[in-house]
C-alpha cells in the first residue's frame, strides 16, 4: 500500500490519521553553524548581569559566623514577623483577589479593561508611591483612615496590620493575574452544565470552578506570598521600621547594611533561599515548556 505524500515530501501515516513529525536537529535552525555570535555575546552578558551579583553574595557570605548571626533574637523576630505578615497578606489576597479575578474573567461590564489596568497598576507602580497612596487613603488624616479613626478608633499606619495591608497591596496583583489567566483557560461549559442541573452561579463556582482552577490559585498564592515577603518600599513608607512590630526581613537587611554588612549579607541569604525555593516549586508550571 502506498502512503500519500504531502507537498513537503513527508509521508503521511494514514493509520495514525496525521503526518509524521519531523525531528529537528540541534543547530538546524541556524544552518548547522550553532548560535550566531551577535546573539550569543549579549545573551552571555545578560546571564552574567543577573547571576554574578548572586554569586558575589554567596562568596562574600560570612559562613563561619553565619550560625551566630542567624540565631540572634533580632533576626528571628524579623523573620517571624515577615512570615506571619506575608502569610496574612496572602490570605487577604485570596479572599478578595480570587473573586476579583473571576469578575474580570467571566463578567462583561463597561470599563473592564480600565479595571484590569488599575488592578495590575501596583505591579509597575514604585512601592514607595504605593506606600504614600496608602497613607493618603488609610492614614489618620486620610480619606478612609480619618473615618476609621473617628468612628472605630482604628489606626492602621505604623502597625503590624499596616504591614499586612502594604504587602497585600503590592502582592495581590500577582494572584489576580494568575487566577484570571487560569479562569480564561478553563472551559466555561462545565459551569454552564452545572447551571442546567439547577446549581446557582455561586454553587457552580464553589463546586466546579474552584477545583478546576486550584493549580492557578496555588501558583498565584505562592507568587503573592513571595512578593509580600520581599516587600520593602510600601512597608517602610506606610508601616515604618519598628523592631518587633513592623520591621520585616527586608527592612532588617536595610538597617543592618548601615552598621553591620555581614549581618545584612546573612539576612539576604535567607531571603535568597526562600526565593529559590519558590522558583523550584513553580518551575513545572511556568518555567518548563510542555
Amino acid at each position: 500500500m502506498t502512503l500519500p505524500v504531502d507537498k513537503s515530501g513527508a509521508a503521511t501515516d494514514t493509520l495514525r490519521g496525521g503526518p509524521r513529525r519531523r525531528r529537528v536537529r540541534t543547530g538546524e535552525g541556524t544552518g548547522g553553524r550553532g548560535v550566531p555570535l551577535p546573539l550569543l555575546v549579549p545573551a552571555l552578558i545578560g546571564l552574567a548581569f543577573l547571576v554574578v551579583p548572586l554569586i558575589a553574595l554567596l562568596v562574600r557570605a560570612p559562613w563561619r559566623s553565619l550560625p551566630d548571626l542567624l540565631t540572634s533574637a533580632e533576626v528571628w523576630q524579623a523573620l517571624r514577623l515577615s512570615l506571619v505578615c506575608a502569610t496574612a497578606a496572602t490570605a487577604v489576597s485570596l479572599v478578595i483577589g480570587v473573586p476579583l479575578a473571576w469578575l474580570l474573567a467571566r463578567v462583561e461590564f463597561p470599563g473592564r479593561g480600565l479595571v484590569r489596568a488599575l488592578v495590575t497598576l501596583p505591579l509597575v507602580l514604585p512601592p514607595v508611591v504605593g506606600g504614600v497612596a496608602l497613607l493618603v487613603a488609610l492614614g489618620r488624616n486620610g480619606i478612609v483612615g480619618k473615618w476609621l479613626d473617628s468612628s472605630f478608633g482604628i489606626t492602621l499606619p505604623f502597625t503590624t496590620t499596616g504591614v499586612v495591608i502594604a504587602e497585600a497591596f503590592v502582592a495581590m496583583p500577582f494572584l489576580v493575574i494568575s487566577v484570571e489567566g487560569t479562569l480564561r483557560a478553563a472551559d466555561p461549559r462545565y459551569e454552564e452544565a452545572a447551571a442546567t442541573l439547577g446549581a446557582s452561579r455561586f454553587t457552580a463556582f464553589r463546586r466546579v470552578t474552584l477545583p478546576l482552577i486550584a493549580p492557578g490559585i496555588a501558583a498565584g498564592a505562592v507568587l503573592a506570598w513571595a512578593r509580600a515577603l520581599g516587600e520593602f518600599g510600601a512597608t517602610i513608607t506606610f508601616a515604618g521600621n519598628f523592631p518587633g512590630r513592623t520591621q520585616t526581613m527586608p527592612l532588617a537587611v536595610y538597617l543592618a547594611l548601615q552598621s553591620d554588612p555581614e549581618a545584612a549579607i546573612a539576612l539576604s541569604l535567607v531571603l535568597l533561599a526562600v526565593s529559590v525555593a519558590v522558583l523550584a516549586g513553580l518551575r513545572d508550571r511556568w518555567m518548563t515548556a510542555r
Side-chain angles (χ1 to χ4, degrees), residues 54 99 118:
L54 303 179
L118 293 175

Side-chain angles (χ1 to χ4, degrees), residues 62-230:
W63 296 107
R64 293 183 179 179
S65 58
L66 190 62
D68 295 332
L69 292 173
L70 294 181
T71 54
S72 63
E74 294 80 6
V75 171
W76 281 106
Q77 195 176 51
L79 179 60
R80 182 187 61 83
L81 185 63
S82 294
L83 295 176
V84 170
C85 290
T87 304
T90 304
V92 171
S93 300
L94 284 170
V95 171
I96 61 180
V98 173
L100 178 57
W102 180 88
L103 184 70
L104 293 174
R106 288 286 191 264
V107 180
E108 293 282 349
F109 58 90
R112 185 172 66 168
L114 177 61
V115 173
R116 183 180 292 110
L118 293 175
V119 169
T120 57
L121 187 60
L123 292 175
V124 297
L125 194 69
V128 175
V129 176
V132 173
L134 289 173
L135 276 176
V136 173
L138 301 177
R140 297 189 66 176
N141 293 321
I143 298 175
V144 180
K146 185 177 182 179
W147 172 72
L148 290 175
D149 186 28
S150 60
S151 301
F152 304 99
I154 298 176
T155 302
L156 297 176
F158 309 109
T159 62
T160 304
T161 304
V163 176
V164 175
I165 292 174
E167 291 181 350
F169 178 78
V170 299
M172 192 174 71
F174 289 90
L175 175 72
V176 173
I177 289 176
S178 178
V179 176
E180 184 188 357
T182 306
L183 279 167
R184 290 183 176 277
D187 194 343
R189 289 179 295 180
Y190 292 106
E191 301 173 34
E192 296 171 0
T196 59
L197 295 175
S200 65
R201 200 160 190 181
F202 178 73
T203 301
F205 171 78
R206 182 171 55 88
R207 301 292 296 274
V208 178
T209 307
L210 276 182
L212 285 175
I213 65 173
I217 293 177
V222 173
L223 287 175
W225 185 85
R227 179 64 183 89
L229 187 69

Side-chain angles (χ1 to χ4, degrees), residues 219-278:
V222 173
L223 287 175
W225 185 85
R227 179 64 183 89
L229 187 69
E231 167 52 31
F232 175 80
T235 303
I236 197 172
T237 305
F238 183 66
N241 187 14
F242 301 101
R245 188 171 63 180
T246 64
Q247 187 181 87
T248 57
M249 286 289 285
L251 274 63
V253 172
Y254 176 77
L255 187 64
L257 188 61
Q258 303 177 18
S259 57
D260 190 354
E262 289 190 351
I265 295 175
L267 296 174
S268 300
L269 287 176
V270 175
L271 294 178
L272 178 63
V274 172
S275 301
V276 171
V278 170

